[in-house]
Amino acid sequence: MSADQIGFALLYLGLFLLLGKWIRMHSTLMQNLFLPASVIGGFLALIVGPEILGRILRNFTGEDSFWSTGLVTPEIMEVWSALPGLMINIVFATLFIGTVLPNLQRVWDVGGPQLAFGWTLGWGQYVVGILLAMLVLVPFYDMPPFIGALIEIGFEGGHGTAAGLQDTFVDLGFPEAYDIAVGLATVGILTGVVVGIALVNWGVRRGKTKIITDVKGLSPTQKAGIVEPEDRGKGAQKTVRPESIDTFTFHFAIVGLAILVGYIILQAITWLEAALFGSDFMTYVPLFPLAMVGGFVVQLFVSKFDTSKLVNRETITSIQGFSLDILITSAIATVSIAVIGDYLVPFLLLAGFGIAWNVFGFFVFGPRMMPDYWLERAIGDFGQSTGVTATGLMLIRVADPEIKSPATEGFGYKQLVFEPFLGGGLVTALSAPLIFMWGPWPFLIFSVVMTAIGLVAGLFYFGKRKLN
């Protein structure tokens, strides 16, 4: 892969973002759905890519034709596929930089309810999945018991986790689990976006949201996603002189430092674990929660030593928004929609029960665990529990486009405890082998206990408190 190919792939992605914005500005349906340009552009790229247009054209031009991949070449898809995993680190590294660092009480108050809610949904997926496996999939479809873990692996772990477990599924004697997991990840992302945005629209029209309160009262320019000229602020401030370094470049370097600090922390923990215990569990932990820790560490130094106030929060927010747009567009554009084939019924059962559990949790547990800004906060965890972290961030942005609620902040705090275990963490990576080794019942009992802990903490502690 040459630098020219990587650069062109990024420029090509920008074209779909522009098309997405144009469609948002001129489509009443897109405006009423509050669809961001990144989502519209991502689906447009998916449609003209190898998964849809390519499949259609292959029937006429053959497998080796230039048009067999649609309007997106394999080289472009390779670059786009790597972008979500890269950009998510930038998004989380920017959460603290340029802000007033919260105290532990703030972290507990804001992040605790979302941790309890996300914890309940995540462990509940194991409960639902393993029960479905033992009652239906194992006796009637002759599938292994660990198939029940694929709901959490596919939904919360996503395509990356599913791909990482491909060899594990082979070792466990059921390589077909990889295709099912990837299919669930695909359905999870699509469902997370479509159902999630539908839930936001429902909340707006039923008065459940606090940020977007009146859809009918929005002006045409607001629906189109345009800031009125008289409301346009100054935006990011120039804090350094351009003859030394551009302000945006300076802030991007600060974000890069935060990610590097997070990477060093992760490598240090991994090395210590291997040296002290001879295990490699931490190798399954993704970088982005540690990138957030890196941002926290960097902000500690900024707060103490940046006497000239060089770090500007608005510039950091612009970097975060740019990264999130790239993340969302590339993630949707590279979704695989390959046919599940022989395991269609088990696949539909796993997907259906997983989605039903998440929707049930959103309506039943969300308002009871998070009485303050409950929809803005619950929609992020619904998105992550259905279609990985990027989906959750996108839905929060739809419900809270200017980050006025504690949803994004609380979502970030939650990841510090959540991600090392669920959503691609240790439990996600080890669940199938553990069920294979121990059998389904011990893991089911453990999952029930973990779900109960989340329910009790959320319903009877955090749900009774008001955010100050």
Side-chain angles (χ1 to χ4, degrees):
M1 182 70 63
S2 68
D4 287 343
Q5 290 173 321
I6 296 173
F8 181 78
L10 294 174
L11 295 175
Y12 199 40
L13 190 70
L15 174 63
F16 286 101
L17 278 165
L18 285 175
L19 289 172
K21 179 58 181 175
W22 185 87
I23 293 172
R24 168 65 185 266
M25 291 175 63
H26 296 87
S27 171
T28 303
L29 175 62
M30 298 297 103
Q31 294 173 12
N32 290 335
L33 288 175
F34 302 110
L35 277 179
S38 56
V39 174
I40 301 171
F43 275 114
L44 185 61
L46 175 65
I47 291 170
V48 302
E51 290 297 318
I52 297 180
L53 181 61
R55 289 180 183 275
I56 296 173
L57 294 179
R58 279 198 292 271
N59 295 325
F60 304 98
T61 63
E63 293 286 339
D64 298 327
S65 168
F66 172 82
W67 302 105
S68 63
T69 59
L71 302 181
V72 183
T73 66
E75 292 78 14
I76 291 175
M77 290 295 292
E78 184 179 352
V79 175
W80 287 0
S81 298
L83 287 176
L86 173 65
M87 292 298 168
I88 193 68
N89 297 317
I90 300 177
V91 171
F92 273 83
T94 56
L95 287 176
F96 295 118
I97 301 175
T99 66
V100 177
L101 291 177
N103 54 36
L104 291 178
Q105 186 64 48
R106 177 71 179 175
V107 173
W108 177 255
D109 290 340
V110 178
Q114 286 179 247
L115 174 61
F117 182 61
W119 193 263
T120 301
L121 291 183
W123 282 104
Q125 287 179 3
Y126 282 118
V127 175
V128 171
I130 295 174
L131 285 175
L132 177 64
M134 297 311 298
L135 296 177
V136 178
L137 302 182
V138 173
F140 295 103
Y141 292 92
D142 195 28
M143 303 182 82
F146 73 79
I147 200 71
L150 295 191
I151 295 178
E152 202 275 340
I153 290 173
F155 279 10
E156 300 221 31
H159 293 86
T161 302
L165 291 173
Q166 184 173 11
D167 292 339
T168 299
F169 293 140
V170 173
D171 294 338
L172 298 182
F174 193 66
E176 294 86 350
Y178 167 74
D179 297 314
I180 299 174
V182 170
L184 287 172
T186 302
V187 169
I189 289 178
L190 296 175
T191 302
V193 172
V194 175
V195 175
I197 290 176
L199 291 175
V200 173
N201 279 269
W202 168 85
V204 172
R205 287 167 172 78
R206 293 295 183 92
K208 305 295 184 181
T209 57
K210 289 187 177 182
I211 305 301
I212 304 176
T213 57
D214 184 8
V215 180
K216 294 181 180 179
L218 295 178
S219 68
T221 53
Q222 286 175 311
K223 286 188 175 182
I226 300 173
V227 178
E228 300 282 5
E230 61 272 17
D231 296 329
R232 295 175 185 176
K234 295 181 179 179
Q237 300 175 357
K238 288 188 176 296
T239 59
V240 293
R241 298 191 64 83
E243 61 264 26
S244 63
I245 187 173
D246 186 79
T247 297
F248 190 89
T249 307
F250 170 75
H251 285 77
F252 191 81
I254 293 291
V255 175
L257 176 62
I259 297 174
L260 179 60
V261 171
Y263 177 79
I264 293 173
I265 293 172
L266 178 59
Q267 294 303 311
I269 295 174
T270 303
W271 180 83
L272 282 174
E273 179 198 21
L276 296 177
F277 305 105
S279 58
D280 60 352
F281 285 174
M282 288 303 298
T283 59
Y284 296 104
V285 177
L287 173 59
F288 67 85
L290 278 302
M292 181 171 61
V293 175
F296 187 91
V297 172
V298 168
Q299 182 55 30
L300 285 176
F301 282 87
V302 169
S303 300
K304 186 174 181 61
F305 299 108
D306 185 19
T307 57
S308 299
K309 305 297 181 184
L310 299 182
V311 177
N312 173 249
R313 179 58 190 171
E314 284 72 24
T315 306
I316 294 294
T317 302
S318 294
I319 294 174
Q320 182 187 63
F322 166 79
S323 302
L324 190 56
D325 283 334
I326 296 296
L327 184 156
I328 294 168
T329 306
S330 57
I332 295 176
T334 54
V335 162
S336 172
I337 54 174
V339 179
I340 301 303
D342 294 337
Y343 297 99
L344 181 60
V345 174
F347 169 78
L348 292 176
L349 287 173
L350 288 167
F353 275 87
I355 294 169
W357 165 253
N358 289 343
V359 172
F360 173 81
F362 176 83
F363 282 111
V364 176
F365 303 140
R368 292 170 174 82
M369 290 185 176
M370 295 173 288
D372 293 290
Y373 296 93
W374 81 264
L375 191 140
E376 288 87 352
R377 306 178 77 184
I379 197 66
D381 291 293
F382 169 83
Q384 181 181 25
S385 297
T386 308
V388 304
T389 305
T391 308
L393 287 169
M394 184 274 293
L395 291 176
I396 291 177
R397 190 169 189 181
V398 172
D400 182 15
E402 298 182 15
I403 315 180
K404 292 182 177 180
S405 79
T408 301
E409 182 184 6
F411 190 83
Y413 296 153
K414 181 204 78 171
Q415 301 303 104
L416 288 172
V417 178
F418 186 85
E419 281 295 336
F421 300 98
L422 301 173
L426 293 176
V427 175
T428 305
L430 298 175
S431 56
L434 288 176
I435 294 173
F436 179 82
M437 291 186 295
W438 295 350
W441 299 116
F443 197 88
L444 174 62
I445 294 171
F446 185 72
S447 299
V448 169
V449 172
M450 291 293 103
T451 304
I453 290 174
L455 282 172
V456 171
L459 294 175
F460 300 106
Y461 180 74
F462 292 112
K464 304 298 182 182
R465 308 175 73 204
K466 291 288 184 180
L467 182 64
N468 296 323

